[in-house]
Amino acid sequence: MANHTSSADAPAVVGAIPRRVAILLKESLFKWPIAGQAFTLAGFIPVKRSETSRRSRVLRRATQSMRAGQSFLIYPEGTRSPDGRLQPFKKGAAVMAIKAKVPIVPVACSGAHRVMRKRSLQVYPGEILVDSWSRLNPSNIHLRSAML
């Protein structure tokens, strides 16, 4: 799980992870020419945040993929930060890890919001730093039925 500050943070974080990683990605990005097809071929999973019934199916699909060994880059904030500061987390990413009984690796990405600002395609010179911490093992955490 990583913070999400810019469109530039995904390539930086994925590049820092020493294995293949899929991403839960905003559905509209799959409509981009070439990139959308690449996202599909890479096993990225589209998420339409406005449809809660579909969101449950998507989370189940991602959880099954996690159980099968697929690693995911997930942004628990759900969207990019407008100013680089951490936003409140949504529960979906943690619930998926708990249900799949897979560890969570916390990742912090800093500087990306200065390299590429929200709602802009312009790239500015700068440095993006990616740090990861020790795994968190959710195997002994039990979900209350209200969270399912």
Short mmCIF file of all heavy atoms in Angstrom, two decimals, residues 25-41 44-51 54:
data_model
loop_
_atom_site.label_atom_id
_atom_site.label_comp_id
_atom_site.label_asym_id
_atom_site.label_seq_id
_atom_site.Cartn_x
_atom_site.Cartn_y
_atom_site.Cartn_z
N LEU A 25 -7.09 0.16 -10.56
CA LEU A 25 -6.97 1.41 -11.30
C LEU A 25 -8.34 1.97 -11.65
O LEU A 25 -9.25 1.22 -11.99
CB LEU A 25 -6.18 1.11 -12.58
CG LEU A 25 -5.55 2.21 -13.36
CD1 LEU A 25 -4.48 2.93 -12.54
CD2 LEU A 25 -4.89 1.63 -14.60
N LYS A 26 -8.45 3.27 -11.60
CA LYS A 26 -9.69 3.95 -11.97
C LYS A 26 -10.13 3.50 -13.37
O LYS A 26 -9.34 3.52 -14.32
CB LYS A 26 -9.48 5.46 -11.93
CG LYS A 26 -10.70 6.28 -12.19
CD LYS A 26 -10.51 7.74 -11.86
CE LYS A 26 -9.48 8.40 -12.72
NZ LYS A 26 -9.43 9.85 -12.55
N GLU A 27 -11.37 3.06 -13.47
CA GLU A 27 -11.88 2.45 -14.70
C GLU A 27 -11.69 3.33 -15.93
O GLU A 27 -11.37 2.83 -17.02
CB GLU A 27 -13.36 2.10 -14.53
CG GLU A 27 -13.92 1.36 -15.72
CD GLU A 27 -15.38 1.02 -15.55
OE1 GLU A 27 -16.19 1.94 -15.42
OE2 GLU A 27 -15.68 -0.18 -15.53
N SER A 28 -11.86 4.62 -15.81
CA SER A 28 -11.76 5.50 -16.97
C SER A 28 -10.37 5.46 -17.62
O SER A 28 -10.24 5.72 -18.82
CB SER A 28 -12.11 6.94 -16.59
OG SER A 28 -11.18 7.44 -15.64
N LEU A 29 -9.35 5.09 -16.87
CA LEU A 29 -7.99 5.03 -17.44
C LEU A 29 -7.84 3.87 -18.42
O LEU A 29 -6.94 3.88 -19.27
CB LEU A 29 -6.95 4.92 -16.33
CG LEU A 29 -6.91 6.10 -15.36
CD1 LEU A 29 -5.87 5.87 -14.28
CD2 LEU A 29 -6.64 7.40 -16.10
N PHE A 30 -8.71 2.87 -18.34
CA PHE A 30 -8.67 1.74 -19.26
C PHE A 30 -9.15 2.14 -20.65
O PHE A 30 -8.98 1.40 -21.61
CB PHE A 30 -9.50 0.57 -18.73
CG PHE A 30 -8.82 -0.19 -17.64
CD1 PHE A 30 -8.80 0.30 -16.35
CD2 PHE A 30 -8.18 -1.39 -17.91
CE1 PHE A 30 -8.15 -0.39 -15.33
CE2 PHE A 30 -7.53 -2.09 -16.90
CZ PHE A 30 -7.52 -1.59 -15.62
N LYS A 31 -9.75 3.32 -20.77
CA LYS A 31 -10.25 3.80 -22.07
C LYS A 31 -9.18 4.55 -22.85
O LYS A 31 -9.40 4.89 -24.01
CB LYS A 31 -11.48 4.69 -21.85
CG LYS A 31 -12.64 3.91 -21.27
CD LYS A 31 -13.81 4.79 -20.96
CE LYS A 31 -14.90 3.95 -20.30
NZ LYS A 31 -15.92 4.76 -19.68
N TRP A 32 -8.03 4.80 -22.24
CA TRP A 32 -6.95 5.49 -22.94
C TRP A 32 -6.41 4.58 -24.04
O TRP A 32 -6.15 3.40 -23.80
CB TRP A 32 -5.83 5.85 -21.99
CG TRP A 32 -6.13 6.93 -21.01
CD1 TRP A 32 -7.31 7.55 -20.75
CD2 TRP A 32 -5.18 7.52 -20.11
NE1 TRP A 32 -7.17 8.48 -19.77
CE2 TRP A 32 -5.86 8.48 -19.36
CE3 TRP A 32 -3.83 7.32 -19.89
CZ2 TRP A 32 -5.24 9.26 -18.40
CZ3 TRP A 32 -3.20 8.10 -18.93
CH2 TRP A 32 -3.90 9.06 -18.20
N PRO A 33 -6.20 5.13 -25.24
CA PRO A 33 -5.61 4.31 -26.30
C PRO A 33 -4.22 3.78 -25.87
O PRO A 33 -3.47 4.47 -25.20
CB PRO A 33 -5.46 5.29 -27.47
CG PRO A 33 -6.39 6.42 -27.15
CD PRO A 33 -6.48 6.49 -25.66
N ILE A 34 -3.93 2.61 -26.24
CA ILE A 34 -2.68 1.89 -25.99
C ILE A 34 -2.49 1.61 -24.50
O ILE A 34 -2.33 0.47 -24.09
CB ILE A 34 -1.45 2.60 -26.60
CG1 ILE A 34 -1.65 2.75 -28.11
CG2 ILE A 34 -0.16 1.81 -26.29
CD1 ILE A 34 -0.64 3.63 -28.79
N ALA A 35 -2.49 2.63 -23.67
CA ALA A 35 -2.28 2.44 -22.23
C ALA A 35 -3.37 1.55 -21.64
O ALA A 35 -3.07 0.66 -20.83
CB ALA A 35 -2.25 3.78 -21.50
N GLY A 36 -4.61 1.74 -22.02
CA GLY A 36 -5.71 0.93 -21.50
C GLY A 36 -5.53 -0.53 -21.82
O GLY A 36 -5.76 -1.41 -20.98
N GLN A 37 -5.10 -0.82 -23.05
CA GLN A 37 -4.85 -2.21 -23.43
C GLN A 37 -3.67 -2.78 -22.64
O GLN A 37 -3.70 -3.92 -22.19
CB GLN A 37 -4.58 -2.30 -24.93
CG GLN A 37 -4.53 -3.72 -25.44
CD GLN A 37 -4.43 -3.77 -26.95
OE1 GLN A 37 -4.02 -2.81 -27.59
NE2 GLN A 37 -4.81 -4.90 -27.51
N ALA A 38 -2.64 -1.97 -22.43
CA ALA A 38 -1.48 -2.41 -21.63
C ALA A 38 -1.91 -2.70 -20.20
O ALA A 38 -1.45 -3.68 -19.60
CB ALA A 38 -0.39 -1.35 -21.67
N PHE A 39 -2.79 -1.87 -19.63
CA PHE A 39 -3.28 -2.10 -18.27
C PHE A 39 -4.00 -3.45 -18.18
O PHE A 39 -3.81 -4.21 -17.24
CB PHE A 39 -4.23 -0.99 -17.82
CG PHE A 39 -3.61 0.38 -17.71
CD1 PHE A 39 -4.40 1.51 -17.87
CD2 PHE A 39 -2.27 0.55 -17.44
CE1 PHE A 39 -3.84 2.77 -17.76
CE2 PHE A 39 -1.70 1.81 -17.33
CZ PHE A 39 -2.49 2.93 -17.50
N THR A 40 -4.83 -3.75 -19.19
CA THR A 40 -5.55 -5.02 -19.21
C THR A 40 -4.59 -6.19 -19.32
O THR A 40 -4.71 -7.17 -18.58
CB THR A 40 -6.56 -5.04 -20.39
OG1 THR A 40 -7.49 -3.96 -20.21
CG2 THR A 40 -7.31 -6.35 -20.45
N LEU A 41 -3.63 -6.10 -20.22
CA LEU A 41 -2.66 -7.19 -20.41
C LEU A 41 -1.79 -7.39 -19.16
O LEU A 41 -1.35 -8.51 -18.90
CB LEU A 41 -1.77 -6.89 -21.62
CG LEU A 41 -2.49 -6.94 -22.98
CD1 LEU A 41 -1.56 -6.44 -24.08
CD2 LEU A 41 -2.99 -8.34 -23.27
N PHE A 44 -4.09 -5.45 -14.52
CA PHE A 44 -4.63 -4.40 -13.67
C PHE A 44 -6.15 -4.57 -13.61
O PHE A 44 -6.77 -5.05 -14.56
CB PHE A 44 -4.30 -3.02 -14.22
CG PHE A 44 -2.84 -2.65 -14.17
CD1 PHE A 44 -1.85 -3.58 -13.87
CD2 PHE A 44 -2.45 -1.36 -14.44
CE1 PHE A 44 -0.50 -3.23 -13.83
CE2 PHE A 44 -1.11 -1.00 -14.40
CZ PHE A 44 -0.14 -1.94 -14.10
N ILE A 45 -6.74 -4.17 -12.50
CA ILE A 45 -8.18 -4.36 -12.31
C ILE A 45 -8.87 -3.00 -12.28
O ILE A 45 -8.53 -2.14 -11.47
CB ILE A 45 -8.45 -5.15 -11.01
CG1 ILE A 45 -7.85 -6.56 -11.12
CG2 ILE A 45 -9.95 -5.22 -10.73
CD1 ILE A 45 -8.02 -7.41 -9.88
N PRO A 46 -9.86 -2.81 -13.19
CA PRO A 46 -10.58 -1.53 -13.21
C PRO A 46 -11.55 -1.38 -12.04
O PRO A 46 -12.21 -2.34 -11.66
CB PRO A 46 -11.35 -1.57 -14.54
CG PRO A 46 -11.48 -3.01 -14.88
CD PRO A 46 -10.31 -3.72 -14.24
N VAL A 47 -11.59 -0.19 -11.48
CA VAL A 47 -12.48 0.11 -10.36
C VAL A 47 -13.34 1.31 -10.75
O VAL A 47 -12.81 2.36 -11.13
CB VAL A 47 -11.69 0.46 -9.08
CG1 VAL A 47 -12.62 0.84 -7.94
CG2 VAL A 47 -10.78 -0.69 -8.68
N LYS A 48 -14.66 1.13 -10.66
CA LYS A 48 -15.58 2.26 -10.86
C LYS A 48 -16.10 2.62 -9.48
O LYS A 48 -16.98 1.96 -8.94
CB LYS A 48 -16.70 1.89 -11.82
CG LYS A 48 -17.52 3.08 -12.22
CD LYS A 48 -18.40 2.77 -13.41
CE LYS A 48 -19.08 4.03 -13.90
NZ LYS A 48 -19.86 3.78 -15.10
N ARG A 49 -15.52 3.66 -8.91
CA ARG A 49 -15.79 4.00 -7.51
C ARG A 49 -17.24 4.37 -7.23
O ARG A 49 -17.73 4.19 -6.12
CB ARG A 49 -14.87 5.13 -7.07
CG ARG A 49 -13.42 4.70 -7.05
CD ARG A 49 -12.53 5.83 -6.70
NE ARG A 49 -12.48 6.80 -7.78
CZ ARG A 49 -11.58 7.74 -7.90
NH1 ARG A 49 -10.68 7.89 -6.99
NH2 ARG A 49 -11.59 8.57 -8.91
N SER A 50 -17.96 4.86 -8.23
CA SER A 50 -19.32 5.31 -7.99
C SER A 50 -20.33 4.17 -7.88
O SER A 50 -21.44 4.38 -7.40
CB SER A 50 -19.76 6.27 -9.09
OG SER A 50 -19.75 5.60 -10.34
N GLU A 51 -19.97 2.97 -8.30
CA GLU A 51 -20.91 1.85 -8.27
C GLU A 51 -20.53 0.87 -7.17
O GLU A 51 -19.67 0.01 -7.35
CB GLU A 51 -20.93 1.15 -9.63
CG GLU A 51 -21.52 2.01 -10.72
CD GLU A 51 -21.62 1.28 -12.05
OE1 GLU A 51 -21.56 0.02 -12.06
OE2 GLU A 51 -21.76 1.96 -13.06
N ARG A 54 -20.68 -3.04 -7.92
CA ARG A 54 -19.55 -3.52 -8.72
C ARG A 54 -18.26 -3.49 -7.91
O ARG A 54 -17.38 -4.33 -8.09
CB ARG A 54 -19.37 -2.67 -9.98
CG ARG A 54 -20.34 -3.06 -11.07
CD ARG A 54 -20.10 -2.32 -12.34
NE ARG A 54 -18.76 -2.57 -12.86
CZ ARG A 54 -18.19 -1.82 -13.78
NH1 ARG A 54 -18.82 -0.77 -14.28
NH2 ARG A 54 -16.99 -2.09 -14.23
#
